[in-house]
Amino acid sequence: MCIRDSLYFLRDDPVVGIEPHVVSVAPTAVRVGDGCGTGTRLPSLAATAPRLGASMTFFGEQAPVGVAGALFLSAVPTQVTSLGGRCLLELDAGSLSSLNAFVSPTETWQFSVAIPNVPALQGLPIATQAWFLQPNHVSGYESSNAVHLALGV
């Protein structure tokens, strides 16, 4: 039985017998970590909750202006990878994929993406992070914080 964003069901436990369980089916978008940027400007990423069969929106702030950027997604990593300084790869390099590439004309950007209405995707965890080429940064790039998503209804 589904009530609001929770699924309630009975499950047989070999030790205690049949008992009630509850699982959240709510979509979530949680900001994780910090960005790395030039000076005090740190690119940031936020997103609306990813509902199956609907659109969600990604929002970027404090992006470097006029340089190439991309939003990447992957499986949620078991650990982050330090790239030196404050820059962290908060994605799983083995499952990395580009979701969108762009050049931001201002420090803020946004775009929407449709989430397929496929019940098998319910609860799927995804990590996202924006990266920018930045010749003014010592490393040659900047990144946003990550946003961890869980697809829901």
Side-chain angles (χ1 to χ4, degrees):
M1 165 178 20
C2 230
I3 300 175
R4 294 193 193 149
D5 290 331
S6 297
L7 175 65
Y8 296 86
F9 60 97
L10 296 176
R11 181 173 165 213
D12 188 20
D13 184 287
V15 176
V16 296
I18 295 176
E19 63 180 8
H21 289 269
V22 63
V23 176
S24 174
V25 293
T28 59
V30 179
R31 293 174 62 140
V32 178
D34 295 313
C36 79
T38 304
T40 58
R41 183 182 47 73
L42 301 177
S44 67
L45 179 65
T48 59
R51 273 189 201 284
L52 297 177
S55 291
M56 66 170 294
T57 303
F58 291 94
F59 303 92
E61 294 183 343
Q62 298 187 46
V65 175
V67 300
L71 181 64
F72 293 94
L73 60 85
S74 75
V76 175
T78 55
Q79 62 184 23
V80 298
T81 303
S82 175
L83 300 176
R86 296 183 302 190
C87 294
L88 299 174
L89 176 63
E90 300 193 49
L91 301 166
D92 174 60
S95 63
L96 190 65
S97 182
S98 173
L99 184 60
N100 189 33
F102 55 91
V103 173
S104 183
T106 67
E107 287 190 346
T108 61
W109 57 271
Q110 73 179 52
F111 79 95
S112 296
V113 60
I115 306 299
N117 192 10
V118 177
L121 297 176
Q122 172 68 43
L124 179 68
I126 299 171
T128 59
Q129 188 176 23
W131 285 83
F132 304 91
L133 297 177
Q134 178 50 280
N136 296 330
H137 193 273
V138 67
S139 65
Y141 55 81
E142 295 182 8
S143 68
S144 72
N145 57 285
V147 174
H148 289 183
L149 307 171
L151 304 184
V153 293

